[in-house]
Amino acid sequence: SRGLGDVYKRQHMVLRVGHIPILYVPYVRFPIGDERLSGFLFPGIGVSDNHGTEISIPYYWNIAPHMDATITPHNMTRRGLMLETEFRYLTQNARGAFDINYLPDDKVYGEDRERFTWTHLGTARAGWSSAVNYNYASDVDYLDDFSGSLTTASITHLERRGNLNYNHPRFLFSAQLQDYQNISGTQPYKQLPQLRFDTRLAHLDNQWNYDLVSEYVRYDHRDADRLIGDRLMLSPYLSYPVQAAAGFIVPRLTVKHLQYELDQIAPGQSESPGVTVPVFSLDTGIF
C-alpha cells in the first residue's frame, strides 16, 4: 500500500471479519482528504426472479467543486442494460439533483422504460425563494418493477410541483403550479396556478389592527367531463386588542368570502356560486 497526496491506494486488498476473509479486491483507491475523487465505486451483484442476475458498476465523476455525477450501468439478464444517472449541483443560491434511468427495449415488458426526477431548492435571496419537485415514469408499472422499497412501490401518484415565494416584512406571496402523473386510483385535480397573498402587519395593543388572507386557484382535470373552474378566497379581519396589567380583551371581526367561476357545469347549476360569512370572536382573560 502507498499514499499519494490525499489519495490512498492499495493492491491485493483482503477484507476480513475477525480472521475470516470475506472480500478480495485486486486494486482499490479512495480519498483520505477533503477533495472528492473520480473513479469506480464498489459494484453491486444480485439475483431475482424479476430481473435475473444483476450486476451494477457505478462510476463517480467529480465534475467540479459545485457539481458531480454518478453513472451506473445496471445489467439485468432478463431485461437488458439500464443506465442510471444521478447529477447533483450546489451553488450559492440553489441546490438540486437530476435522476435519470433509461432501459431500452425491456425484454420482459417489450418497451423502452425510463424514469426522471428533478428536485431543486432555491435559497432565499432578496426575499425570493423557489422549489421544484418533478417526477416522471414511462409507464404505470415502472415503480412496481424497479422500486427498491415497499414505500416507493405503493405510490399512486407522481407529483409535479413548482413554487415561487416572496417574503416581505409586511406580506407573503407564493405562486404554485401542481400536477400529477397518475399511477393507480383516481386522477387528482391539478392547480394551475395557485396564488396566495397574506399580509402580516404589525399588531399593536389598544388600537385598530387589520390583515388579509387571500388565495386564487385555477382547478383543472385531465378528464374532459370533470367540473373545473376558478376559486377566489378572501378573508380580511379587523381587531382591537385591549391589554392591561389585570387582563385583556380582544374583539375580532372576520369576513370570509368564497367565489367560484365554473366550467362544464350540469344543466341548472350556477356558473358563479359564492358565499360570504361574517365571523365575530371575543377572546378575554384576567391575570
Side-chain angles (χ1 to χ4, degrees), residues 115-116 134-140 155-160 179-184 187-188 222:
R115 172 77 189 276
F116 173 77
Y134 185 89
N135 296 273
Y136 164 78
S138 58
D139 53 81
V140 296
I155 292 177
T156 58
H157 305 89
L158 295 177
E159 185 184 30
R160 301 167 178 176
D179 192 9
Y180 296 90
Q181 180 183 355
N182 190 37
I183 301 299
S184 63
Q187 175 69 43
R222 298 185 186 276

Side-chain angles (χ1 to χ4, degrees), residues 73-273:
H74 182 182
N75 186 66
M76 297 165 282
T77 56
R78 288 202 63 200
R79 296 184 178 272
L81 178 63
M82 173 182 283
L83 184 63
E84 303 172 354
T85 304
E86 179 191 38
F87 171 78
R88 303 185 301 177
Y89 59 90
L90 175 64
T91 66
Q92 184 178 0
N93 301 316
R95 66 177 183 269
F98 292 92
D99 287 285
I100 305 173
N101 298 343
Y102 178 66
L103 172 62
D105 192 18
D106 187 338
K107 298 176 183 177
V108 177
Y109 204 76
E111 298 177 2
D112 294 350
R113 316 288 296 279
E114 59 258 6
R115 172 77 189 276
F116 173 77
T117 64
W118 176 32
T119 56
H120 168 86
L121 182 62
T123 56
R125 183 176 179 85
W128 291 97
S129 62
S130 60
V132 176
N133 182 23
Y134 185 89
N135 296 273
Y136 164 78
S138 58
D139 53 81
V140 296
D141 299 316
Y142 185 96
L143 297 181
D144 285 337
D145 290 341
F146 299 106
S147 63
S149 66
L150 292 176
T151 302
T152 305
S154 63
I155 292 177
T156 58
H157 305 89
L158 295 177
E159 185 184 30
R160 301 167 178 176
R161 173 174 49 85
N163 294 84
L164 182 64
N165 306 305
Y166 183 71
N167 189 343
H168 189 272
R170 295 194 173 186
F171 65 86
L172 295 173
F173 170 77
S174 66
Q176 175 176 274
L177 301 176
Q178 186 180 44
D179 192 9
Y180 296 90
Q181 180 183 355
N182 190 37
I183 301 299
S184 63
T186 304
Q187 175 69 43
Y189 275 87
K190 50 187 176 181
Q191 303 180 56
L192 302 173
Q194 178 192 37
L195 306 176
R196 287 190 63 93
F197 180 83
D198 301 337
T199 62
R200 52 176 185 180
L201 305 176
H203 289 186
L204 302 176
D205 297 333
N206 305 313
Q207 70 177 46
W208 292 105
N209 297 299
Y210 57 91
D211 258 320
L212 171 68
V213 177
S214 61
E215 181 188 61
Y216 165 78
V217 183
R218 170 66 182 181
Y219 287 102
D220 207 343
H221 204 278
R222 298 185 186 276
D223 295 341
D225 57 344
R226 288 296 187 98
L227 186 67
I228 61 175
D230 305 276
R231 185 187 72 185
L232 176 65
M233 184 275 292
L234 297 173
S235 182
Y237 67 86
L238 183 68
S239 65
Y240 195 99
V242 177
Q243 296 278 356
F248 64 92
I249 179 171
V250 184
R252 174 169 165 166
L253 176 64
T254 304
V255 178
K256 295 182 179 292
H257 176 71
L258 200 61
Q259 184 68 44
Y260 286 88
E261 293 294 333
L262 302 177
D263 301 327
Q264 302 174 179
I265 61 174
Q269 289 185 335
S270 173
E271 295 181 354
S272 304

Side-chain angles (χ1 to χ4, degrees), residues 29-68:
R29 67 173 185 162
F30 54 88
I32 56 177
D34 296 332
E35 295 294 328
R36 301 192 301 265
L37 177 68
S38 297
F40 287 98
L41 306 178
F42 281 102
I45 301 175
V47 178
S48 68
D49 294 336
N50 192 22
H51 299 156
T53 302
E54 302 180 63
I55 300 177
S56 59
I57 305 176
Y59 179 82
Y60 176 78
W61 182 15
N62 181 26
I63 303 174
H66 63 284
M67 64 180 64
D68 61 13

